[in-house]
Amino acid sequence: MLYWFFVKVFGPIARHRLGPTVSGLNNVPRSGGAIIAANHLAVIDDALIPITCPRMVHFMGKAEYFEGKGLKGKFKKWWFTSVGVFPVDRSGGNKSLGALEHAREIIEDGHLFGIHIEGTRSPDGRMYKGHTGVARLALETGCPIVPVALIGSDLLQPIGTTIPKKGKTQVKYGKPIAVTKKSADEITHAELRELTDRVSAAIREMSGQEYVDEYAQKVKAELKAAKEAEAAKIAE
């Protein structure tokens, strides 16, 4: 695995381009498994955490990154695998369970698992309610959750932009949220919702994002429907 090679070689270039100011690094556990739960504003967020975190962070990546054909497809698969990214099928249902099991193994082996919590990547920059997957993973493994606020990356790389502008960003590592391990049949929906909301609240407090008490899935579906309706109207 070439994670640290890429961080050391390309990290200085990324830091010069993205200009991250980092705080709270003492909140990252020096050993043991933990979840790094961050908000999500732009594609470059996936670079901001690796170049600022003192420990290696394993992330999920879209399955399509690992399924490409030809030389380009092989290179993408090699690249993502080399930097600690593993595939997840985001179509939902049982297809994503394998990735969650892999995330569990990473945590139980004493490593850091990083994830951008749902509800924080939106066209209007606001934060919405997300699903409880991160909370369940934390409760079933008993690992702490470190909330992380990313600030300014959306200004350097607005939605639809490939190459980010040069500028300044902030990465704030918050105080770990302690979690007591429970078996799957002991965990209630109320506990999952409470822990999920605690993580979101911690990120919101650090990032300053406006919060909307509505599920992200619903908002995304409404935005998609509105966009399709507008396109259909133009086509008429």
Side-chain angles (χ1 to χ4, degrees), residues 31-206:
S31 62
I35 295 174
I36 302 295
N39 60 336
H40 192 22
L41 303 174
V43 175
I44 55 174
D45 295 339
D46 292 335
L48 282 171
I49 291 178
I51 66 174
T52 59
C53 187
R55 293 176 60 189
M56 178 178 179
V57 183
H58 298 260
F59 282 95
M60 290 181 180
K62 292 189 295 186
E64 301 91 278
Y65 294 156
F66 300 81
E67 298 170 351
K69 304 296 182 181
L71 186 61
K72 182 179 179 180
K74 290 180 180 179
F75 175 78
K76 287 177 69 175
K77 181 178 180 180
W78 169 80
W79 168 268
F80 286 108
T81 301
S82 297
V83 295
V85 177
F86 59 95
V88 57
D89 188 323
R90 303 200 302 179
S91 59
N94 293 330
K95 293 183 178 180
S96 62
L97 293 180
L100 290 175
E101 283 302 314
H102 189 58
R104 185 195 309 276
E105 292 174 3
I106 288 171
I107 294 168
E108 291 178 340
D109 286 343
H111 304 298
L112 299 181
F113 167 60
I115 188 168
H116 296 293
I117 64 171
E118 189 187 30
T120 57
R121 172 73 159 152
S122 62
D124 58 12
R126 297 186 294 178
M127 181 184 291
Y128 295 87
K129 292 177 71 172
H131 61 65
T132 56
V134 173
R136 179 172 290 280
L137 187 60
L139 285 165
E140 291 185 1
T141 58
C143 75
I145 302 174
V146 180
V148 179
L150 303 174
I151 303 171
S153 56
D154 55 332
L155 300 179
L156 301 189
Q157 189 183 36
I159 291 177
T161 303
T162 301
I163 301 176
K165 297 180 290 185
K166 186 176 184 296
K168 300 293 184 180
T169 57
Q170 294 181 58
V171 184
K172 298 181 179 181
Y173 292 87
K175 293 183 178 179
I177 297 173
V179 178
T180 301
K181 184 175 182 178
K182 288 191 172 186
S183 61
D185 58 355
E186 290 181 309
I187 300 172
T188 66
H189 179 73
E191 289 175 309
L192 291 172
R193 190 71 260 164
E194 189 274 336
L195 181 54
T196 300
D197 291 345
R198 282 182 64 193
V199 175
S200 295
I203 295 174
R204 188 168 69 249
E205 183 177 347
M206 292 186 292

